[in-house]
Amino acid sequence: MKAAVWTDYNKIEIQELPTPAPGPGQALVKVQAVGVCATDLEVVTGRFRYGRPPHILGHEIAGQVAAVGSGVRLRKPGDRVVVETSLGCGLCPECRKGNRHLCSRMEEIGTAPHPGGYAQYLTVPEENLVPLPDNVSYDEAGILESVVCPVGGLMRLGVHFGETVLVYGVGPAGIAFIQGAKAMGAGKVIAVARNRQRLERAAFFGADLLIHSQTEDVREKVLAYTEGRGADLVCEAAGSGATTRSAFACVKRAGRVMLYGLPAEDQAREFSSLDIILNQLEVHGVLGNPHVWEPLLALVSAGRINLKDMVDAALPLEGLEQAFRLMEDPAKKPMKIVLHPWEDQEGRVLS
């Protein structure tokens, strides 16, 4: 099989490797679409130390079951699936409750020693395969993982009917928060971003008010829009100290703050516990959620969440480095790119 292998920092090589065989309880998945995640870019460049080369990255994976190992009961060859990538020990209290993403020994498909989806095939435990509705494409499913975490946070916390939700950041996570909040009954959604051009796309995905933080006073605009109360729920998806401080300044008393964006280590304590105590705030961290995949797919299938228009480009496996370059370019930065491991540079299907 063909794979894009991370061989050294800032280096990807296309290699021919043996096709893996599924073990007991596993399925062999033929990868049809794999989303390119910003985290993988950080790993390849060495800015985020998470595993070491050589390794096959890629943790946003959709494809078709090609073969199954012994003991597999629910999946069969030909099934269209998306891969839920968290792997738990299976024995701890969190795993037994179904929260393998909170296992203290949690590992992830796409992170060593588990090969990921930047390849034509990979093996996956049966319990990590989620069936796709017929009307959800592989490209849509290939970016589902990037939407699961934000929407999963909203599902866990809840969005009360008619609430005002404030979202910082309009990357994939911010757009997921906007769409999820609207689908769950938010009355108004306010989007905040530094880049005016990318901010405009937030309106396309459902934001009711746009605030350009480079030229407008965010707190002043939010208070004016909420008649002085502040937002009921604030979702921080930008991951900076400034936006975290602003989030706590713009939430109403007894409101809720969801922290998703990962700030730099020196900016990770940008709010006061006094704010939380004296304003009776609820503060929630957001991580992956294995329980969200099926209900999220139902929303996508019903047209309540738009994944199709979040995919800006599709490239062959050889285009992984090109995808990373586009993601580094502030002027061309796409929302999401997917790779098609079974297509060549001209888009022809490989045998």
Side-chain angles (χ1 to χ4, degrees):
M1 71 171 186
K2 186 167 62 172
V5 182
W6 172 40
T7 56
D8 201 351
Y9 292 104
N10 296 299
K11 189 173 183 182
I12 300 290
E13 292 182 7
I14 303 299
Q15 298 182 1
E16 285 290 336
L17 301 174
T19 299
Q26 291 184 329
L28 177 68
V29 174
K30 182 178 182 180
V31 180
Q32 298 290 354
V34 53
V36 182
C37 180
T39 302
D40 288 340
L41 170 60
E42 298 299 303
V43 169
V44 167
T45 58
R47 294 192 291 257
F48 179 41
R49 298 285 176 164
Y50 194 43
R52 296 179 181 178
H55 188 62
I56 302 172
L57 298 165
H59 56 269
E60 302 179 7
I61 309 159
Q64 189 175 41
V65 174
V68 297
S70 61
V72 173
R73 295 176 299 143
L74 299 178
R75 304 289 168 250
K76 63 184 184 302
D79 285 353
R80 302 172 68 250
V81 293
V82 62
V83 177
E84 195 274 296
T85 54
S86 57
L87 301 169
C89 70
L91 301 173
C92 70
E94 290 299 339
C95 281
R96 291 201 300 271
K97 288 189 290 186
N99 295 324
R100 57 177 174 261
H101 67 301
L102 299 177
C103 174
S104 61
R105 289 178 280 176
M106 194 273 285
E107 296 178 341
E108 187 176 19
I109 295 169
T111 302
H114 308 285
Y118 296 148
Q120 291 179 318
Y121 291 100
L122 82 160
T123 55
V124 179
E126 179 186 21
E127 61 266 26
N128 288 74
L129 296 177
V130 183
L132 287 181
D134 291 341
N135 65 339
V136 176
S137 70
Y138 285 124
D139 281 3
E140 291 171 297
I143 68 165
L144 191 74
E145 194 273 346
S146 65
V147 178
V148 159
C149 295
V151 174
L154 292 172
M155 286 182 174
R156 177 167 58 88
L157 185 57
V159 177
H160 303 148
F161 183 76
E163 283 191 314
T164 296
V165 178
L166 173 63
V167 177
Y168 287 85
V170 292
I175 296 301
F177 276 124
I178 290 168
Q179 293 200 75
K182 295 294 281 192
M184 294 177 205
K188 299 292 182 182
V189 175
I190 308 170
V192 180
R194 299 177 59 183
N195 184 296
R196 188 179 295 278
Q197 183 177 358
R198 290 201 288 272
L199 183 62
E200 293 297 328
R201 70 188 178 192
F204 175 82
F205 286 101
D208 301 288
L209 178 69
L210 309 179
I211 302 177
H212 184 224
S213 60
Q214 294 289 81
T215 60
E216 298 177 288
D217 186 305
V218 176
R219 185 170 186 273
E220 182 179 289
K221 293 281 287 187
V222 171
L223 291 179
Y225 200 62
T226 59
E227 299 179 344
R229 294 188 303 273
D232 299 286
L233 170 63
V234 181
C235 305
E236 202 294 308
S240 78
T243 53
T244 303
R245 287 194 301 273
S246 182
F248 280 87
C250 292
V251 67
K252 74 171 189 178
R253 301 194 75 184
R256 292 115 68 215
V257 177
M258 296 182 65
L259 300 178
Y260 176 80
L262 294 175
E265 210 169 306
D266 61 344
Q267 298 182 17
R269 297 174 180 84
E270 292 290 338
F271 58 89
S272 167
S273 57
L274 286 176
D275 291 334
I276 300 172
I277 297 166
L278 297 179
N279 291 308
Q280 197 174 306
L281 302 179
E282 297 179 43
V283 183
H284 300 259
V286 180
L287 197 60
N289 192 327
H291 308 288
V292 171
W293 293 73
E294 286 89 349
L296 176 55
L297 279 169
L299 288 173
V300 175
S301 179
R304 302 289 300 281
I305 298 284
N306 177 0
L307 299 184
K308 181 179 179 181
D309 289 313
M310 291 179 66
V311 178
D312 288 329
L315 302 171
L317 203 56
E318 290 84 355
L320 179 55
E321 287 185 302
Q322 178 188 350
F324 285 154
R325 288 194 296 272
L326 289 170
M327 292 162 68
E328 295 265 50
D329 187 336
K332 299 179 180 178
K333 187 174 182 178
M335 186 179 306
K336 290 299 295 185
I337 296 174
V338 295
L339 302 183
H340 293 168
W342 291 93
E343 291 183 4
D344 63 15
Q345 299 281 12
E346 282 72 45
R348 293 173 299 205
V349 177
L350 304 171
S351 59

Short mmCIF file of all heavy atoms in Angstrom, two decimals, residues 244-289:
data_model
loop_
_atom_site.label_atom_id
_atom_site.label_comp_id
_atom_site.label_asym_id
_atom_site.label_seq_id
_atom_site.Cartn_x
_atom_site.Cartn_y
_atom_site.Cartn_z
N THR A 244 -9.07 34.45 25.88
CA THR A 244 -9.54 33.86 27.13
C THR A 244 -9.95 34.94 28.11
O THR A 244 -11.01 34.85 28.75
CB THR A 244 -8.45 32.97 27.75
OG1 THR A 244 -8.07 31.95 26.81
CG2 THR A 244 -8.95 32.29 29.03
N ARG A 245 -9.15 35.98 28.23
CA ARG A 245 -9.51 37.10 29.11
C ARG A 245 -10.81 37.74 28.65
O ARG A 245 -11.69 38.05 29.45
CB ARG A 245 -8.39 38.15 29.12
CG ARG A 245 -7.15 37.74 29.89
CD ARG A 245 -6.25 38.94 30.14
NE ARG A 245 -5.84 39.58 28.90
CZ ARG A 245 -4.78 39.22 28.18
NH1 ARG A 245 -4.04 38.20 28.57
NH2 ARG A 245 -4.46 39.86 27.07
N SER A 246 -10.93 37.93 27.34
CA SER A 246 -12.13 38.55 26.80
C SER A 246 -13.36 37.67 27.05
O SER A 246 -14.45 38.18 27.33
CB SER A 246 -11.96 38.78 25.29
OG SER A 246 -13.08 39.42 24.74
N ALA A 247 -13.19 36.35 26.97
CA ALA A 247 -14.31 35.43 27.20
C ALA A 247 -14.90 35.64 28.59
O ALA A 247 -16.13 35.70 28.77
CB ALA A 247 -13.85 33.98 27.03
N PHE A 248 -14.04 35.76 29.59
CA PHE A 248 -14.53 35.96 30.96
C PHE A 248 -15.09 37.35 31.17
O PHE A 248 -15.93 37.56 32.05
CB PHE A 248 -13.40 35.66 31.96
CG PHE A 248 -13.20 34.20 32.20
CD1 PHE A 248 -12.36 33.46 31.39
CD2 PHE A 248 -13.87 33.55 33.22
CE1 PHE A 248 -12.18 32.10 31.58
CE2 PHE A 248 -13.71 32.19 33.43
CZ PHE A 248 -12.86 31.46 32.60
N ALA A 249 -14.66 38.31 30.35
CA ALA A 249 -15.20 39.67 30.46
C ALA A 249 -16.56 39.79 29.79
O ALA A 249 -17.32 40.72 30.09
CB ALA A 249 -14.22 40.67 29.83
N CYS A 250 -16.90 38.86 28.90
CA CYS A 250 -18.12 38.99 28.10
C CYS A 250 -19.22 38.03 28.50
O CYS A 250 -20.32 38.09 27.94
CB CYS A 250 -17.79 38.79 26.62
SG CYS A 250 -16.78 40.12 25.92
N VAL A 251 -18.96 37.12 29.44
CA VAL A 251 -19.99 36.18 29.86
C VAL A 251 -20.86 36.84 30.94
O VAL A 251 -20.37 37.65 31.73
CB VAL A 251 -19.37 34.86 30.37
CG1 VAL A 251 -18.59 35.07 31.66
CG2 VAL A 251 -20.43 33.78 30.54
N LYS A 252 -22.12 36.50 30.96
CA LYS A 252 -23.00 37.09 31.97
C LYS A 252 -22.73 36.47 33.34
O LYS A 252 -22.07 35.42 33.45
CB LYS A 252 -24.46 36.87 31.58
CG LYS A 252 -24.95 35.43 31.79
CD LYS A 252 -26.44 35.32 31.59
CE LYS A 252 -26.95 33.93 32.00
NZ LYS A 252 -28.41 33.81 31.86
N ARG A 253 -23.20 37.09 34.38
CA ARG A 253 -23.11 36.50 35.72
C ARG A 253 -23.91 35.20 35.75
O ARG A 253 -25.00 35.11 35.19
CB ARG A 253 -23.63 37.48 36.78
CG ARG A 253 -22.86 38.80 36.79
CD ARG A 253 -23.15 39.59 38.04
NE ARG A 253 -22.45 39.01 39.19
CZ ARG A 253 -22.59 39.46 40.45
NH1 ARG A 253 -23.42 40.46 40.70
NH2 ARG A 253 -21.92 38.91 41.43
N ALA A 254 -23.36 34.19 36.38
CA ALA A 254 -23.94 32.84 36.41
C ALA A 254 -23.99 32.21 35.02
O ALA A 254 -24.78 31.31 34.78
CB ALA A 254 -25.32 32.84 37.07
N GLY A 255 -23.13 32.70 34.12
CA GLY A 255 -23.05 32.13 32.78
C GLY A 255 -22.05 30.99 32.71
O GLY A 255 -21.48 30.57 33.72
N ARG A 256 -21.83 30.48 31.49
CA ARG A 256 -20.94 29.34 31.29
C ARG A 256 -19.86 29.68 30.27
O ARG A 256 -20.13 30.37 29.27
CB ARG A 256 -21.71 28.12 30.78
CG ARG A 256 -22.65 27.53 31.82
CD ARG A 256 -24.10 27.66 31.41
NE ARG A 256 -24.45 26.84 30.27
CZ ARG A 256 -25.33 27.20 29.34
NH1 ARG A 256 -25.93 28.38 29.41
NH2 ARG A 256 -25.64 26.40 28.35
N VAL A 257 -18.65 29.19 30.54
CA VAL A 257 -17.51 29.38 29.64
C VAL A 257 -16.97 28.01 29.27
O VAL A 257 -16.68 27.19 30.16
CB VAL A 257 -16.40 30.23 30.30
CG1 VAL A 257 -15.20 30.34 29.36
CG2 VAL A 257 -16.92 31.61 30.67
N MET A 258 -16.82 27.76 27.96
CA MET A 258 -16.22 26.52 27.48
C MET A 258 -14.85 26.83 26.90
O MET A 258 -14.73 27.68 26.01
CB MET A 258 -17.11 25.87 26.41
CG MET A 258 -18.45 25.43 26.93
SD MET A 258 -19.44 24.61 25.65
CE MET A 258 -18.46 23.17 25.35
N LEU A 259 -13.82 26.17 27.40
CA LEU A 259 -12.45 26.38 26.94
C LEU A 259 -12.04 25.21 26.05
O LEU A 259 -11.99 24.07 26.50
CB LEU A 259 -11.50 26.50 28.13
CG LEU A 259 -11.80 27.65 29.11
CD1 LEU A 259 -10.83 27.63 30.27
CD2 LEU A 259 -11.75 28.99 28.38
N TYR A 260 -11.77 25.52 24.78
CA TYR A 260 -11.38 24.49 23.82
C TYR A 260 -10.02 24.78 23.19
O TYR A 260 -9.18 23.91 23.06
CB TYR A 260 -12.44 24.36 22.73
CG TYR A 260 -12.06 23.38 21.64
CD1 TYR A 260 -12.23 22.01 21.84
CD2 TYR A 260 -11.52 23.81 20.43
CE1 TYR A 260 -11.87 21.11 20.85
CE2 TYR A 260 -11.16 22.90 19.44
CZ TYR A 260 -11.33 21.55 19.67
OH TYR A 260 -10.96 20.66 18.69
N GLY A 261 -9.80 26.02 22.75
CA GLY A 261 -8.52 26.37 22.13
C GLY A 261 -7.37 26.20 23.10
O GLY A 261 -7.49 26.53 24.29
N LEU A 262 -6.24 25.68 22.61
CA LEU A 262 -5.08 25.43 23.47
C LEU A 262 -4.13 26.62 23.41
O LEU A 262 -3.47 26.86 22.39
CB LEU A 262 -4.34 24.16 23.01
CG LEU A 262 -5.11 22.85 23.17
CD1 LEU A 262 -4.30 21.71 22.58
CD2 LEU A 262 -5.41 22.58 24.64
N PRO A 263 -4.04 27.39 24.50
CA PRO A 263 -3.13 28.53 24.50
C PRO A 263 -1.69 28.09 24.71
O PRO A 263 -1.43 26.96 25.16
CB PRO A 263 -3.62 29.37 25.70
CG PRO A 263 -4.18 28.33 26.63
CD PRO A 263 -4.76 27.25 25.77
N ALA A 264 -0.75 28.96 24.38
CA ALA A 264 0.66 28.70 24.70
C ALA A 264 0.81 28.59 26.21
O ALA A 264 0.01 29.14 26.98
CB ALA A 264 1.54 29.82 24.15
N GLU A 265 1.84 27.86 26.63
CA GLU A 265 1.99 27.58 28.06
C GLU A 265 2.05 28.85 28.90
O GLU A 265 1.51 28.91 30.00
CB GLU A 265 3.27 26.74 28.27
CG GLU A 265 3.17 25.82 29.47
CD GLU A 265 4.29 24.81 29.53
OE1 GLU A 265 4.50 24.09 28.55
OE2 GLU A 265 4.96 24.78 30.57
N ASP A 266 2.69 29.90 28.35
CA ASP A 266 2.82 31.14 29.13
C ASP A 266 1.54 31.95 29.15
O ASP A 266 1.46 32.98 29.82
CB ASP A 266 3.98 31.99 28.60
CG ASP A 266 3.77 32.42 27.15
OD1 ASP A 266 2.91 31.81 26.47
OD2 ASP A 266 4.46 33.34 26.71
N GLN A 267 0.50 31.50 28.40
CA GLN A 267 -0.78 32.22 28.39
C GLN A 267 -1.91 31.37 28.97
O GLN A 267 -3.08 31.72 28.85
CB GLN A 267 -1.15 32.60 26.95
CG GLN A 267 -0.15 33.53 26.29
CD GLN A 267 -0.59 33.92 24.89
OE1 GLN A 267 -1.73 33.76 24.51
NE2 GLN A 267 0.34 34.45 24.12
N ALA A 268 -1.57 30.29 29.62
CA ALA A 268 -2.59 29.33 30.04
C ALA A 268 -3.29 29.72 31.34
O ALA A 268 -4.20 29.01 31.76
CB ALA A 268 -1.96 27.94 30.19
N ARG A 269 -2.92 30.82 31.96
CA ARG A 269 -3.57 31.23 33.22
C ARG A 269 -4.04 32.67 33.10
O ARG A 269 -3.70 33.52 33.91
CB ARG A 269 -2.60 31.08 34.39
CG ARG A 269 -2.15 29.63 34.61
CD ARG A 269 -1.07 29.53 35.68
NE ARG A 269 -0.66 28.16 35.90
CZ ARG A 269 0.25 27.51 35.17
NH1 ARG A 269 0.83 28.15 34.16
NH2 ARG A 269 0.58 26.27 35.43
N GLU A 270 -4.84 32.91 32.10
CA GLU A 270 -5.21 34.28 31.77
C GLU A 270 -6.58 34.68 32.33
O GLU A 270 -7.25 35.52 31.76
CB GLU A 270 -5.19 34.48 30.25
CG GLU A 270 -3.81 34.42 29.64
CD GLU A 270 -2.95 35.62 30.02
OE1 GLU A 270 -3.52 36.66 30.38
OE2 GLU A 270 -1.72 35.51 29.95
N PHE A 271 -6.99 34.08 33.43
CA PHE A 271 -8.23 34.52 34.07
C PHE A 271 -8.09 34.34 35.56
O PHE A 271 -7.25 33.59 36.06
CB PHE A 271 -9.45 33.77 33.54
CG PHE A 271 -9.37 32.27 33.71
CD1 PHE A 271 -9.83 31.66 34.85
CD2 PHE A 271 -8.84 31.48 32.71
CE1 PHE A 271 -9.76 30.29 35.02
CE2 PHE A 271 -8.77 30.10 32.86
CZ PHE A 271 -9.23 29.51 34.02
N SER A 272 -8.92 35.06 36.31
CA SER A 272 -8.84 35.06 37.75
C SER A 272 -9.90 34.15 38.36
O SER A 272 -11.06 34.16 37.93
CB SER A 272 -9.03 36.50 38.28
OG SER A 272 -9.25 36.49 39.67
N SER A 273 -9.52 33.38 39.35
CA SER A 273 -10.50 32.56 40.05
C SER A 273 -11.54 33.43 40.75
O SER A 273 -12.67 32.99 40.99
CB SER A 273 -9.81 31.64 41.06
OG SER A 273 -9.04 32.38 41.98
N LEU A 274 -11.18 34.68 41.06
CA LEU A 274 -12.15 35.58 41.66
C LEU A 274 -13.31 35.85 40.71
O LEU A 274 -14.46 35.98 41.14
CB LEU A 274 -11.47 36.91 42.04
CG LEU A 274 -10.57 36.87 43.28
CD1 LEU A 274 -9.89 38.22 43.47
CD2 LEU A 274 -11.36 36.49 44.51
N ASP A 275 -13.01 35.94 39.40
CA ASP A 275 -14.09 36.12 38.42
C ASP A 275 -15.08 34.97 38.49
O ASP A 275 -16.30 35.17 38.43
CB ASP A 275 -13.51 36.20 37.00
CG ASP A 275 -12.71 37.47 36.76
OD1 ASP A 275 -12.98 38.46 37.45
OD2 ASP A 275 -11.82 37.45 35.89
N ILE A 276 -14.54 33.77 38.60
CA ILE A 276 -15.40 32.59 38.64
C ILE A 276 -16.25 32.58 39.90
O ILE A 276 -17.46 32.33 39.86
CB ILE A 276 -14.55 31.30 38.56
CG1 ILE A 276 -13.74 31.29 37.26
CG2 ILE A 276 -15.42 30.06 38.67
CD1 ILE A 276 -12.73 30.17 37.18
N ILE A 277 -15.62 32.88 41.03
CA ILE A 277 -16.33 32.83 42.32
C ILE A 277 -17.37 33.95 42.43
O ILE A 277 -18.55 33.70 42.71
CB ILE A 277 -15.32 32.92 43.48
CG1 ILE A 277 -14.38 31.71 43.46
CG2 ILE A 277 -16.06 33.00 44.82
CD1 ILE A 277 -13.17 31.86 44.35
N LEU A 278 -16.94 35.18 42.20
CA LEU A 278 -17.81 36.32 42.45
C LEU A 278 -18.92 36.45 41.41
O LEU A 278 -19.95 37.06 41.68
CB LEU A 278 -16.98 37.61 42.51
CG LEU A 278 -15.95 37.66 43.65
CD1 LEU A 278 -15.17 38.97 43.60
CD2 LEU A 278 -16.62 37.50 45.01
N ASN A 279 -18.71 35.88 40.23
CA ASN A 279 -19.75 35.92 39.21
C ASN A 279 -20.47 34.59 39.05
O ASN A 279 -21.30 34.43 38.16
CB ASN A 279 -19.14 36.34 37.86
CG ASN A 279 -18.69 37.79 37.86
OD1 ASN A 279 -19.46 38.68 38.21
ND2 ASN A 279 -17.45 38.01 37.50
N GLN A 280 -20.15 33.64 39.91
CA GLN A 280 -20.80 32.32 39.94
C GLN A 280 -20.80 31.68 38.55
O GLN A 280 -21.83 31.23 38.03
CB GLN A 280 -22.23 32.43 40.47
CG GLN A 280 -22.83 31.10 40.92
CD GLN A 280 -24.19 31.26 41.56
OE1 GLN A 280 -24.35 32.03 42.51
NE2 GLN A 280 -25.18 30.52 41.07
N LEU A 281 -19.61 31.62 37.95
CA LEU A 281 -19.49 31.09 36.60
C LEU A 281 -19.26 29.59 36.60
O LEU A 281 -18.71 29.03 37.55
CB LEU A 281 -18.31 31.77 35.88
CG LEU A 281 -18.36 33.29 35.76
CD1 LEU A 281 -17.12 33.80 35.05
CD2 LEU A 281 -19.62 33.74 35.03
N GLU A 282 -19.69 28.95 35.54
CA GLU A 282 -19.35 27.55 35.28
C GLU A 282 -18.31 27.52 34.17
O GLU A 282 -18.51 28.11 33.11
CB GLU A 282 -20.58 26.77 34.83
CG GLU A 282 -21.70 26.67 35.85
CD GLU A 282 -22.89 25.90 35.31
OE1 GLU A 282 -22.66 24.84 34.66
OE2 GLU A 282 -24.02 26.35 35.50
N VAL A 283 -17.19 26.85 34.42
CA VAL A 283 -16.11 26.77 33.44
C VAL A 283 -15.89 25.30 33.08
O VAL A 283 -15.72 24.46 33.96
CB VAL A 283 -14.81 27.38 34.00
CG1 VAL A 283 -13.71 27.35 32.94
CG2 VAL A 283 -15.04 28.81 34.47
N HIS A 284 -15.88 25.02 31.77
CA HIS A 284 -15.81 23.63 31.31
C HIS A 284 -14.69 23.47 30.29
O HIS A 284 -14.57 24.27 29.36
CB HIS A 284 -17.13 23.21 30.65
CG HIS A 284 -18.31 23.30 31.55
ND1 HIS A 284 -18.86 22.21 32.18
CD2 HIS A 284 -19.06 24.37 31.95
CE1 HIS A 284 -19.88 22.59 32.92
NE2 HIS A 284 -20.03 23.90 32.79
N GLY A 285 -13.88 22.44 30.47
CA GLY A 285 -12.92 22.06 29.44
C GLY A 285 -13.58 21.13 28.44
O GLY A 285 -14.50 20.38 28.77
N VAL A 286 -13.12 21.19 27.19
CA VAL A 286 -13.73 20.41 26.11
C VAL A 286 -12.69 19.46 25.52
O VAL A 286 -11.60 19.90 25.12
CB VAL A 286 -14.28 21.33 25.00
CG1 VAL A 286 -14.91 20.50 23.89
CG2 VAL A 286 -15.30 22.30 25.58
N LEU A 287 -13.02 18.19 25.49
CA LEU A 287 -12.17 17.16 24.91
C LEU A 287 -13.04 16.28 24.02
O LEU A 287 -14.25 16.48 23.92
CB LEU A 287 -11.50 16.35 26.03
CG LEU A 287 -10.28 15.50 25.69
CD1 LEU A 287 -9.15 16.36 25.14
CD2 LEU A 287 -9.79 14.74 26.92
N GLY A 288 -12.44 15.28 23.38
CA GLY A 288 -13.20 14.36 22.53
C GLY A 288 -14.32 13.67 23.31
O GLY A 288 -14.30 13.62 24.53
N ASN A 289 -15.25 13.09 22.58
CA ASN A 289 -16.40 12.46 23.24
C ASN A 289 -16.91 11.30 22.39
O ASN A 289 -17.54 11.51 21.35
CB ASN A 289 -17.51 13.49 23.45
CG ASN A 289 -18.60 12.99 24.37
OD1 ASN A 289 -18.91 11.80 24.38
ND2 ASN A 289 -19.20 13.89 25.12
#
